[in-house]
Amino acid sequence: MMSPKEKNDDFREPVVQGHPPSASRLLLNILGCLLSLPIYYFSTVHSRYPVTLDIVITIALTELNRYIVEGRRQHFARSLHTPSFDLHLDEKKEWSGLHLEAQPCLPNADCMAAVVGWREDPSLYARALQSYKSAKTCTFFLAGIDGDEAEDQDMVNVFCQVFPENSTVIQIPEPLGEVAERIRAKTMALQRQNGIPVNEDEANAISMQACLDLARSILRQHDLTIGGPKGIKHLCLKQRHMHKKGIMFTAYVFALVISDMLGIEYLWSSDSDTIVFPDSLEKTINTIASDLKAGGASSGLVVHNNRETAVTNLASAVYWGELYLTRSTPACTGTSDCQSGPSTAFRLSALPAILVPWYTQIAFGKRMIVNEDRHLTTNLLLRGWNVIFASDVLAATDTPTTMSRWLRQQVRWARATHIESLLRPKVYLVSHPLLFYGMVKREFGPAIGALAVMWFFFTGHQLIEISVMDFVFRILISTMYNFVRNTHRLRLGDVRWIVPGVFFYYIPLPAVQIYSMLTMAADGWGTSMRASGDMERAKREGMRKAWFDLGFFVVWMGIVAGVVAKVLAIHWGLVWYEKMVCIMVSMGVAMWGGWRVTIGASG
């Protein structure tokens, strides 16, 4: 049974195009980007302690972001008691031609959640789904499963066990992403055939509307009552296996239709391995609820499986000490450049205009599926939406348990970062210059570090001055700040992983940066499926692929060890043949160790 609104065939989902900046704002953004280059150059090359200076600036921006985010929540809290006009309804007139009047209403942060995954470990998936039962403001839950074979039934069974009432499962006959691609291509072909200039925006809008109509039709065919005391509150969608982007597109289209039926304005999007806390959804969405220019937000992350292996302990220290700070750099200006897949919130009226361009993205002549999170964020920023990072809110995600999986994940994320940072320069024209500054620091800092290491390795000369005390000060300052201000409070036993975590993250970082730049077009889910039967299949992975994925790390560890040996040999005053023996032995041991914990462990 559909709502009265659903039965109205004239209804169309709004496509809100965003908030493009003025000409003067564009000019200021360009000037700011140009100024950020010499600022970054002088702060690094002409500073005695560049790393320490960088962390001080980062901490200042992090604190500013915390202050602004809290101000957003307070503004929203005040608005809860002040009726305002429902501008979300008013926006629908811009695209659909509906004659709807804005009605006085009280703002709220009610949302629906969409969680997608592929052959997740059943026990972990059950924990993830259970966590949404206590999530505040979540009024509807949507699960997306990227697969409909026998191996995928485990996730369906878990969904039915966790949500035995007010729930149902729907098989999607054709992934909606493929429907959108086909209609988009047909529309553009007709435009060319009729001698009309190709209008991609029109083709995107037509294909988006067709997907919305199809999703609405599927719900109608199943005669579902959405919401209400006895209606469906938990829906599981499964479709033929494609990739993460494919199931996300289908889930988001259904979310748009269902949210319109329920009068919900916000969507929380997450992964099947992520556990939310009771206030994760509410406090993240509160940061965008009172700002009509805010199209999305994301929260901070912690690791829930940190005690499984040494790698997960180190990864947890990285999340605590590094990612919390680095993601805050441009966030204070409302230009966070990545909404993390495990903990993302959207204003639903911002999605229809960006979903088809996001799904059909092409780079290097091929479809891109590795950068689903970042490209969604880029599309929001390109259309003038603010994107917020609520660093004081947490959700708990799963991290790889082995070095090989960790490196694969880091390379996948780095590829997505390069694609969005280097191939979409227009985003810097419409965004605050701090976004460009953060990109320069993130993209070129590790690359310069890799160049400096290799330069010393081959020539014995320093390309840039390196101060040990600079790094010591940096570690001390960031650690003390995190102890005082990080929302994630470490247990006493986790403190010992902080300093090793710094080396665990930063030693491979230059190699990850360079290798991912050279292999940007590679794709895949990134982290492998965790169902038990598929873990056995993953162990039979060919040696050739393992070397392609991880060989760079083995070589890099040899280079790093060679550099350390050369520095020590010079310090000890060794003669040339002693120096060569020291370097070769160090390289051999380091490369064997790198192989042992990555490629050797994969086999």
Side-chain angles (χ1 to χ4, degrees):
M1 176 182 284
M2 311 302 286
S3 68
K5 192 177 195 180
E6 268 300 293
K7 294 179 181 178
N8 182 358
D9 293 334
D10 295 329
F11 175 76
R12 293 292 184 268
E13 186 68 28
V15 177
V16 182
Q17 297 298 335
H19 308 273
S22 63
S24 59
R25 181 73 235 188
L26 286 173
L27 179 60
L28 288 174
N29 290 343
I30 293 172
L31 292 176
C33 291
L34 293 176
L35 285 174
S36 65
L37 293 173
I39 291 174
Y40 178 72
Y41 174 77
F42 284 109
S43 66
T44 53
V45 177
H46 295 281
S47 173
R48 186 176 181 182
Y49 298 105
V51 180
T52 303
L53 177 61
D54 175 70
I55 195 62
V56 170
I57 294 173
T58 300
I59 288 173
L61 293 173
T62 301
E63 281 300 297
L64 179 59
N65 181 57
R66 288 278 294 265
Y67 175 79
I68 292 173
V69 164
E70 186 57 33
R72 286 174 170 273
R73 291 202 189 98
Q74 292 178 5
H75 184 268
F76 174 70
R78 289 192 297 269
S79 69
L80 288 176
H81 308 288
T82 306
S84 61
F85 284 95
D86 188 351
L87 297 180
H88 175 70
L89 283 179
D90 209 33
E91 286 172 338
K92 294 180 179 180
K93 297 189 295 185
E94 297 180 11
W95 184 78
S96 66
L98 291 179
H99 301 289
L100 299 175
E101 297 296 332
Q103 298 293 329
C105 65
L106 285 174
N108 65 80
D110 289 345
C111 70
M112 64 178 295
V115 176
V116 301
W118 172 49
R119 296 187 185 177
E120 187 60 79
D121 175 72
S123 61
L124 176 55
Y125 189 47
R127 290 175 62 199
L129 298 192
Q130 285 283 359
S131 68
Y132 284 90
K133 288 187 172 183
S134 59
K136 300 176 184 177
T137 73
C138 183
T139 59
F140 193 93
F141 183 86
L142 177 65
I145 299 176
D146 185 38
D148 57 1
E149 299 178 0
E151 294 91 338
D152 304 297
Q153 188 60 34
D154 287 344
M155 292 184 70
V156 177
N157 295 338
V158 169
F159 172 85
C160 295
Q161 291 167 7
V162 175
F163 302 116
E165 299 177 350
N166 302 101
S167 65
T168 191
V169 179
I170 294 179
Q171 169 75 50
I172 305 301
E174 181 181 10
L176 296 188
E178 293 184 351
V179 174
E181 279 190 295
R182 186 173 63 252
I183 295 177
R184 181 177 184 269
K186 182 178 180 180
T187 301
M188 294 170 65
L190 288 173
Q191 289 174 341
R192 297 188 189 96
Q193 182 179 335
N194 296 328
I196 303 173
V198 174
N199 187 332
E200 290 193 15
D201 289 338
E202 181 183 357
N204 292 338
I206 291 172
S207 56
M208 185 71 226
Q209 188 59 57
C211 290
L212 292 167
D213 291 340
L214 179 57
R216 196 174 294 115
S217 174
I218 291 173
L219 293 176
R220 186 181 294 114
Q221 289 171 10
H222 286 78
D223 195 26
L224 301 180
T225 299
I226 303 296
K230 297 183 179 180
I232 297 298
K233 297 180 181 178
H234 315 95
L235 175 62
C236 177
L237 306 174
K238 61 176 183 176
Q239 66 180 28
R240 170 171 45 83
H241 173 59
M242 295 180 66
H243 38 69
K244 186 178 180 182
K245 220 172 190 178
I247 189 61
M248 285 176 67
F249 185 88
T250 297
Y252 286 178
V253 170
F254 273 86
L256 285 167
V257 173
I258 294 170
S259 65
D260 179 75
M261 298 166 64
L262 299 176
I264 295 173
E265 294 188 48
Y266 307 103
L267 171 68
W268 170 270
S269 177
S270 188
D271 298 335
S272 57
D273 60 2
T274 300
I275 299 169
V276 298
F277 301 110
D279 63 352
S280 297
L281 282 65
E282 180 187 38
K283 293 186 70 175
T284 303
I285 290 170
N286 283 357
T287 63
I288 64 175
S290 63
D291 181 4
L292 292 175
K293 292 185 178 181
S298 61
S299 75
L301 289 169
V302 296
V303 174
H304 62 66
N305 64 327
N306 61 305
R307 298 188 181 278
E308 284 193 38
T309 66
V311 171
T312 59
N313 275 288
L314 291 167
S316 180
V318 171
Y319 275 78
W320 178 81
E322 301 300 326
L323 300 187
Y324 166 75
L325 287 167
T326 55
R327 288 188 59 199
S328 296
T329 298
C332 59
T333 62
T335 54
S336 177
D337 59 355
C338 181
Q339 295 171 276
S340 297
S343 57
T344 294
F346 295 101
R347 184 181 296 277
L348 281 158
S349 59
L351 287 182
I354 69 173
L355 284 185
V356 176
W358 163 73
Y359 185 78
T360 58
Q361 180 195 15
I362 293 178
F364 307 109
K366 63 177 292 186
R367 281 281 313 284
M368 300 306 300
I369 63 172
V370 301
N371 58 331
E372 63 283 339
D373 305 328
R374 279 193 175 271
H375 194 50
L376 269 173
T377 309
T378 300
N379 274 280
L380 288 174
L381 293 173
L382 281 170
R383 286 160 177 79
W385 292 100
N386 290 332
V387 180
I388 313 303
F389 175 47
S391 59
D392 59 341
V393 185
L394 298 175
T397 191
D398 189 85
T399 195
T401 57
T402 65
M403 191 66 182
S404 58
R405 286 186 173 184
W406 166 263
L407 286 172
R408 284 187 172 105
Q409 183 190 68
Q410 296 302 302
V411 169
R412 179 180 183 269
W413 287 354
R415 286 171 181 149
T417 301
H418 301 324
I419 291 169
E420 298 306 311
S421 300
L422 304 178
L423 304 184
R424 297 290 182 273
K426 184 181 175 182
V427 72
Y428 305 113
L429 301 180
V430 300
S431 302
H432 193 282
L434 200 55
L435 179 67
F436 181 78
Y437 177 82
M439 180 277 294
V440 171
K441 185 174 73 170
R442 180 186 61 243
E443 289 294 308
F444 298 107
I448 293 172
L451 179 62
V453 169
M454 289 187 286
W455 182 266
F456 183 83
F457 178 78
F458 288 109
T459 69
H461 300 292
Q462 282 188 262
L463 185 64
I464 55 176
E465 292 293 329
I466 298 176
S467 168
V468 175
M469 290 307 300
D470 190 18
F471 288 100
V472 172
F473 289 150
R474 194 263 183 212
I475 294 173
L476 288 175
I477 292 172
S478 63
T479 301
M480 288 189 295
Y481 171 76
N482 275 291
F483 269 121
V484 174
R485 291 291 287 162
N486 198 322
T487 311
H488 177 206
R489 300 299 179 184
L490 289 185
R491 298 177 182 177
L492 185 61
D494 296 330
V495 175
R496 60 194 172 105
W497 296 99
I498 294 175
V499 174
V502 173
F503 292 98
F504 172 76
Y505 180 66
Y506 279 105
I507 288 178
L509 182 60
V512 168
Q513 189 82 344
I514 297 299
Y515 183 69
S516 57
M517 281 185 179
L518 298 176
T519 59
M520 274 194 279
D523 51 27
W525 262 82
T527 51
S528 59
M529 45 196 165
R530 282 178 283 264
S532 57
D534 296 309
M535 289 178 66
E536 294 300 321
R537 187 190 314 171
K539 290 180 181 179
R540 298 193 293 268
E541 189 174 46
M543 187 61 66
R544 181 177 178 180
K545 185 179 187 306
W547 272 103
F548 176 80
D549 290 344
L550 304 166
F552 77 93
F553 176 74
V554 176
V555 175
W556 177 249
M557 291 306 297
I559 293 175
V560 171
V563 167
V564 173
K566 183 176 285 190
V567 171
L568 293 176
I570 294 173
H571 178 71
W572 292 332
L574 302 182
V575 297
W576 71 270
Y577 60 87
E578 293 174 328
K579 185 187 300 183
M580 289 300 298
V581 171
C582 182
I583 292 173
M584 296 302 294
V585 171
S586 299
M587 289 182 64
V589 171
M591 292 180 72
W592 178 84
W595 175 87
R596 185 72 181 83
V597 299
T598 54
I599 299 172
S602 297

